[in-house]
Amino acid sequence: MARVFVITGPSGVGKGTLIKHLLERVPELELSVSATTRGPRPGEEHGVHYHFLDPAEFDRRVANGAFVEHAEYSGRHYGTLREELDRRTAAGHPVVLEIEVQGARQVRTAMPEAVQIFIVPPSTDTLRQRLVGRGTDDEQQVASRLEVAVSELAAQDEFAYKVVNAELDAAVDELVDIVRREMVLA
Ligand code: 5GP
């Protein structure tokens, strides 16, 4: 069975950037494309960054058991489609899930063999700066994401691995080491 890696941590911690570099360094890894009810940001494409679903379609898929995990985050729904995961692992590809903490907990219960990695920000202030700086969320969304971030940070000790994203290259190296080590153990 191919390895499943869960990468979690608060919004704004840099999960997306770290994963982009991780995928370049470990080309056999594949990223599962999540479903969400939030709208696309500029530059985001349906089926590439997310499967953008309306709330009724999301609910229908929940009822059909289409999700491995799903959670509400800042008023929107997000979830990992079983099909996304199964197709990749069946083809022998190790898979990365980039998800928030409630989803990571559900995966821990459903798939205890998945490798769970929590990305830690150097400080809460850095998070705020990144959330404001990327300019993708309005003031209310930033406030809501920061509030969730504080409770997510409190959960970091639940995770087998923690990587502090203070310096990008060092954090990527650490992530690559974890993934390579766990792939050998699979
Ligand atoms: P964003 O709106 O910034 O793309 O994502 C908001 C949060 O939802 C991030 O913490 C992101 O990791 C998380 N997220 C993205 N996809 C999924 C998913 O499939 N399941 C869960 N539980 N969280 C997700």
Side-chain angles (χ1 to χ4, degrees):
M1 192 60 179
R3 270 299 207 205
V4 175
F5 295 91
V6 173
I7 300 190
T8 191
S11 179
V13 77
K15 299 191 291 284
T17 306
L18 287 171
I19 290 171
K20 183 172 151 282
H21 289 279
L22 174 66
L23 295 173
E24 283 167 10
R25 296 266 302 270
V26 187
E28 59 268 51
L29 266 182
E30 292 197 355
L31 180 64
S32 165
V33 180
S34 296
T36 183
T37 61
R38 83 151 164 77
R41 294 176 180 146
E44 285 185 338
E45 282 177 53
H46 182 72
V48 177
H49 298 90
Y50 278 107
H51 300 285
F52 295 101
L53 306 179
D54 62 41
E57 176 61 18
F58 195 98
D59 287 349
R60 196 184 64 76
R61 296 199 192 193
V62 170
N64 289 346
F67 289 106
V68 175
E69 60 74 32
H70 62 94
E72 189 180 329
Y73 176 91
S74 199
R76 309 279 186 220
H77 293 272
Y78 295 81
T80 304
L81 292 161
R82 201 173 297 284
E83 197 269 333
E84 277 280 327
L85 194 60
D86 290 353
R87 174 162 49 88
R88 294 184 161 89
T89 52
H93 294 290
V95 182
V96 177
L97 307 182
E98 194 240 282
I99 63 180
E100 51 68 74
V101 166
Q102 302 168 74
R105 288 189 177 126
Q106 293 171 40
V107 175
R108 193 186 305 145
T109 306
M111 305 169 57
E113 70 284 6
V115 181
Q116 299 237 349
I117 307 167
F118 189 100
I119 310 296
V120 187
S123 70
T124 323
D125 225 43
T126 328
L127 269 191
R128 184 180 300 108
Q129 283 162 19
R130 285 189 190 152
L131 284 172
V132 173
R134 73 183 182 188
T136 50
D137 303 293
D138 61 28
E139 213 174 298
Q140 202 187 335
Q141 271 292 324
V142 169
S144 155
R145 280 168 184 256
L146 267 172
E147 199 178 310
V148 178
V150 171
S151 63
E152 291 195 313
L153 285 172
Q156 58 183 274
D157 290 340
E158 294 173 19
F159 294 85
Y161 291 104
K162 286 196 268 181
V163 172
V164 181
N165 188 17
E167 205 272 307
L168 180 65
D169 288 345
V172 173
D173 284 348
E174 209 177 319
L175 212 47
V176 170
D177 280 354
I178 294 169
V179 167
R180 288 237 174 264
R181 208 178 327 135
E182 290 287 349
M183 274 167 52
V184 172
L185 295 176

